[in-house]
Amino acid sequence: MAAPLELSCWGGGWGLPSVHSESLVVMAYAKFSGAPLKVTVIDSTWRGSRGDVPILTTEDNIVSQPAKILNFLRKQKYNADYELSGKQGADTLAYIALLEEKLLPAVLHTFWVESDNYFTVTKPWFASRIPFPLSLILPGRMSRGALNRILLTRGEPPLYHIQEVEAQIYRDAKECLNLLSNRLGTSQFFFGDTPSTLDAYVFGFLAPLYKVRFPKVLLQEHLKQLSNLCRFCDEILHSYFRLSLGDG
């Protein structure tokens, strides 16, 4: 398309082009589909007021949220799923729903709620990329937003408090990782030799969990025992992001 595509997203570290799962989903899908994105990484000069990235901007549109951005890219003929069958398309939707229900709460908890991880890794990293005085405010707001998102999806009665849902969150996440590992098997991608939307989502959710160095690594330790999922992340990083890798 003629109009430029600009993606605003959180930047990278620990060998990742972004440490933010939802930004990574869009970045990976763009690589898989050939969408010519200009990536604008949030840094300390950022003047936004919220952490609601990724955001795709064109001459005529501003689109946020990964699913909506991917749908927009498909409408512009950047489609990573054109070779999928109807069943594979249905499987994609089912697995994405599984990821969002079973794995995302544990990823959010690992980054934003687990206090050792939040205060030693997550908060300092994000605060360093946000201008003062927002750097004093926005990480806490993002942490509360993550907690509310967890409780909204997992805090059904009688599990109203985060302490009561933590054990269930991690059990569900480990089960989800095992299912993904079994589904991937020895294949390069989830539907064969070509990456698709599902691969973008799995990569976006797993890669930060796999690479970011946290003091509390409960779910990370389980992921690292699933060698095919680790290989999956490493191969996507090497094949699609090697020119943009850095410790940021």
Side-chain angles (χ1 to χ4, degrees):
M1 77 188 265
L5 300 168
E6 181 173 350
L7 183 72
S8 299
C9 62
W10 292 107
W14 296 278
L16 297 171
S18 175
V19 303
H20 180 239
S21 285
E22 294 181 330
S23 296
L24 268 186
V25 169
V26 176
M27 294 170 77
Y29 183 87
K31 293 285 189 180
F32 299 162
S33 65
L37 293 189
K38 175 188 176 185
V39 176
T40 301
V41 170
I42 290 173
D43 59 22
S44 59
T45 65
W46 181 46
R47 291 295 178 262
S49 60
R50 296 183 298 166
D52 56 353
V53 292
I55 297 172
L56 183 71
T57 305
T58 73
E59 289 181 349
D60 304 313
N61 295 277
I62 297 176
V63 189
S64 62
Q65 301 177 15
K68 292 180 180 179
I69 295 174
L70 268 55
N71 284 334
F72 179 86
L73 292 177
R74 291 187 194 102
K75 291 178 181 177
Q76 310 307 313
K77 310 302 182 187
Y78 301 113
N79 188 354
D81 297 343
Y82 68 94
E83 292 185 351
L84 298 188
S85 67
K87 182 183 184 305
Q88 289 171 330
D91 287 349
T92 295
L93 295 177
Y95 273 99
I96 290 173
L98 180 73
L99 286 164
E100 292 179 340
E101 180 182 350
K102 300 294 188 182
L103 184 59
L104 181 59
V107 174
L108 292 173
H109 189 276
T110 298
F111 271 80
W112 293 102
V113 180
E114 166 53 58
S115 60
D116 286 351
N117 293 346
Y118 174 71
F119 285 108
T120 63
V121 177
T122 309
K123 182 179 179 180
W125 190 94
F126 280 87
S128 72
R129 285 151 174 81
I130 302 171
F132 181 86
L134 278 177
S135 58
L136 303 179
I137 302 168
L138 188 54
R141 184 184 301 168
M142 294 169 71
S143 177
R144 290 189 295 275
L147 177 59
N148 289 337
R149 191 168 175 182
I150 292 169
L151 292 176
L152 182 65
T153 58
R154 305 315 315 277
E156 64 274 6
L159 304 178
Y160 287 115
H161 303 291
I162 190 61
Q163 291 82 3
E164 296 174 315
V165 302
E166 281 179 7
Q168 187 64 48
I169 284 172
Y170 282 96
R171 280 196 299 270
D172 287 349
K174 289 179 179 180
E175 179 184 352
C176 182
L177 290 175
N178 292 340
L179 288 170
L180 291 172
S181 178
N182 291 334
R183 176 62 181 81
L184 180 63
T186 59
S187 298
Q188 184 177 7
F189 301 110
F190 279 87
F191 296 115
D193 298 329
T194 305
S196 64
T197 296
L198 179 56
D199 298 284
Y201 270 89
V202 174
F203 172 74
F205 283 30
L206 293 191
L209 191 63
Y210 173 39
K211 292 291 188 179
V212 176
R213 291 188 286 274
F214 290 116
K216 292 290 183 68
V217 293
L218 178 64
L219 194 58
Q220 189 178 72
E221 288 179 340
H222 186 75
L223 173 58
K224 288 185 175 181
Q225 295 172 9
L226 303 171
S227 59
N228 62 338
L229 293 181
C230 297
R231 186 195 69 241
F232 169 84
C233 292
D234 286 332
E235 289 184 354
I236 289 176
L237 286 168
H238 176 73
S239 298
Y240 293 94
F241 293 102
R242 61 180 178 271
L243 296 181
S244 59
L245 293 184
D247 287 333

